[in-house]
Amino acid sequence: MFELHDATMIYDMDKEEKVYAMKSMNLTLPDKGLIGIIGPSGSGKSTLMYTMSTLKKLTSGEILYNGKSLSDISSSEKQDLRRNEFGFVFQRHYLINYLTALENATVAATIPVLEARQKAEKLLLEIGLKKSELNHRPNKLSGGQRQRVAIARAMMNDPKVLFADEPTASLDHENAFLVMERLREYAKERLVIVITHDVSIIEDADMIVKIWDGSISDVAVKGA
Ligand SMILES: Nc1ncnc2c1ncn2[C@@H]1O[C@H](COP(=O)(O)OP(=O)(O)O)[C@@H](O)[C@H]1O
Ligand SMILES: [Mg+2]
């Protein structure tokens, strides 16, 4: 589904101090499964996710999605991809302050409202929110609860690819486990790409891609 060919991303191209965030990365990802992207802070993980999901453009090289180069498609095609095929959990979760947890989870849902509410409620309970918390606004939720609302929101439209940047960063072990269990379940049918610097949460991923200083240093495929 994704193919990277010498994918390179340099920030501050016009400045003297260039930042080589992605250096000639080559990688092929399957159509479904749980992919862990691991590496220290500053190694280029988020940049990789931004370029794969069309939010940032490569400096050189290319990323193919279903055989099409992301550099060749129009901005409206990119928007369609992001809306219809990709789901996002960002490092910062960007919830809307005046909406409840449940409303935040359904805010971009494309299915009818009542159906969306039922689906969001089920998802939120599965990943460890309590029923009483569904009507809380973000300022009454902990960081971990907000993060889980963002995860439910990202899963609402059943995206073909779910990009999650440090989705368990503000969760304790028990809740991180619940979230990863749900993502693994989702990865049976879809592609789930989880960025983390905590190897313990992706130990049983189908593929683990290690990033070091802008380069892919290792790719481990489960059972291979
Ligand atoms: N918008 C930006 N402008 C300039 N440099 C950036 C920008 N975003 C990230 N970087 C730099 O690119 C490198 C990779 O960053 P990032 O992809 O965020 O890594 P990670 O997610 O692994 O922590 C780092 O050196 C970071 O400082
Ligand atoms: Mg990052």
Side-chain angles (χ1 to χ4, degrees):
M1 163 177 287
F2 277 104
E3 271 179 59
L4 277 70
H5 297 288
D6 291 321
T8 299
M9 173 71 181
I10 305 170
Y11 288 109
D12 297 324
M13 266 304 272
D14 50 339
K15 299 202 184 124
E16 217 155 294
E17 285 277 303
K18 298 182 188 8
V19 181
Y20 292 79
M22 288 168 63
K23 302 172 185 167
S24 233
M25 289 187 178
N26 290 290
L27 181 67
T28 301
L29 297 185
D31 287 348
K32 59 185 182 183
L34 178 65
I35 313 294
I37 309 272
I38 187 144
S41 181
S43 56
K45 304 181 298 297
S46 295
T47 303
L48 174 62
M49 166 175 144
Y50 290 141
T51 53
M52 287 179 69
S53 59
T54 79
L55 294 169
K56 280 189 166 130
K57 278 189 190 157
L58 289 177
T59 310
S60 65
E62 64 178 0
I63 296 176
L64 304 182
Y65 177 67
N66 293 333
K68 256 189 159 182
S69 172
L70 296 180
S71 325
D72 293 342
I73 64 176
S74 68
S75 55
S76 68
E77 276 177 290
K78 283 182 193 171
Q79 217 171 322
D80 281 340
L81 272 183
R82 293 195 296 264
R83 185 179 306 160
N84 302 322
E85 306 207 9
F86 296 166
F88 295 93
V89 181
F90 292 103
Q91 236 168 330
R92 311 206 47 194
H93 11 80
Y94 305 113
L95 300 182
I96 300 168
N97 279 322
Y98 54 85
L99 297 180
T100 66
L102 190 64
E103 288 166 342
N104 263 290
T106 59
V107 78
T110 52
I111 53 177
V113 179
L114 284 177
E115 219 177 296
R117 290 182 76 91
Q118 277 171 3
K119 185 170 175 177
E121 181 170 330
K122 186 166 178 284
L123 274 169
L124 287 166
L125 296 177
E126 279 169 0
I127 55 179
L129 255 78
K130 296 195 180 68
K131 200 144 189 172
S132 61
E133 290 159 354
L134 300 182
N135 292 317
H136 287 177
R137 295 204 163 81
N139 61 9
K140 282 198 67 188
L141 299 171
S142 69
Q145 289 162 341
R146 289 198 290 265
Q147 196 158 33
R148 282 171 284 167
V149 174
I151 291 166
R153 180 181 58 188
M155 293 172 81
M156 277 303 293
N157 297 332
D158 300 322
K160 289 192 178 135
V161 187
L162 182 61
F163 293 96
D165 199 349
E166 304 274 4
T168 61
S170 33
L171 300 179
D172 56 41
H173 275 296
E174 197 180 328
N175 284 308
F177 181 80
L178 276 181
V179 164
M180 287 313 299
E181 198 173 45
R182 191 62 187 81
L183 292 179
R184 260 192 296 277
E185 174 72 28
Y186 195 74
K188 285 181 184 162
E189 304 295 332
R190 308 284 180 151
L191 186 65
V192 178
I193 300 175
V194 173
I195 291 178
T196 182
H197 56 254
D198 176 9
V199 80
S200 73
I201 69 158
I202 47 150
E203 264 166 353
D204 60 345
D206 299 295
M207 186 190 257
I208 296 180
V209 180
K210 285 192 186 143
I211 312 275
W212 182 264
D213 195 19
S215 297
I216 294 174
S217 60
D218 186 52
V219 177
V221 179
K222 194 176 174 180

